[in-house]
Amino acid sequence: MKLFAIDRILPTATEETIRGVVIHEALHIWMLYSKDIVREAYFRKDRPGVILVLEAENVAEAKAILATFPMVKSGVIEFEIIPVGHFVPFGTLLDQDLLKK
């Protein structure tokens, strides 16, 4: 299952606590990327933060994976998890006769 994980910096986070774990966070993401768990990683342009595309069996597994992140463990961030799937309505939006040609 593909999931989006969108981080949120917690109000209790400080520059010092962020600086103390950010390199460990990057290494952790790289480790999960090399195992095909984190499929994509993006920096946000509208505010500090990241959006990750994860591969997991379900939301519960994604939560367990994200709980291992150093910035989550240290109380700097939390994640919103959004399960996503294929865009199903294509068949209803497209003329089926056109598809047969």
Side-chain angles (χ1 to χ4, degrees):
M1 168 183 262
K2 187 176 285 198
L3 305 106
F4 293 154
I6 302 170
D7 78 345
R8 182 177 77 84
I9 298 173
L10 296 173
T12 54
T14 64
E15 281 188 45
E16 185 178 306
T17 57
I18 291 170
R19 259 188 267 124
V21 293
V22 73
I23 191 67
H24 301 289
E25 186 82 353
L27 291 170
H28 192 72
I29 292 171
W30 171 249
M31 180 200 62
L32 294 174
Y33 181 81
S34 68
K35 294 179 178 181
D36 285 333
I37 296 169
V38 171
R39 294 293 181 99
E40 301 172 45
Y42 299 96
F43 281 118
R44 294 183 64 143
K45 292 193 172 194
D46 60 335
R47 67 165 176 81
V50 298
I51 298 174
L52 304 174
V53 179
L54 301 176
E55 193 66 37
E57 287 295 318
N58 50 45
V59 172
E61 183 182 41
K63 285 181 181 181
I65 291 165
L66 294 168
T68 67
F69 281 51
M71 291 180 85
V72 172
K73 285 181 172 182
S74 65
V76 173
I77 62 171
E78 65 182 8
F79 283 94
E80 174 185 5
I81 302 169
I82 303 169
V84 296
H86 298 287
F87 188 69
V88 177
F90 276 132
T92 60
L93 296 174
L94 301 172
D95 182 348
Q96 293 297 316
D97 291 331
L98 290 176
L99 297 174
K100 293 177 185 174
K101 293 180 182 181

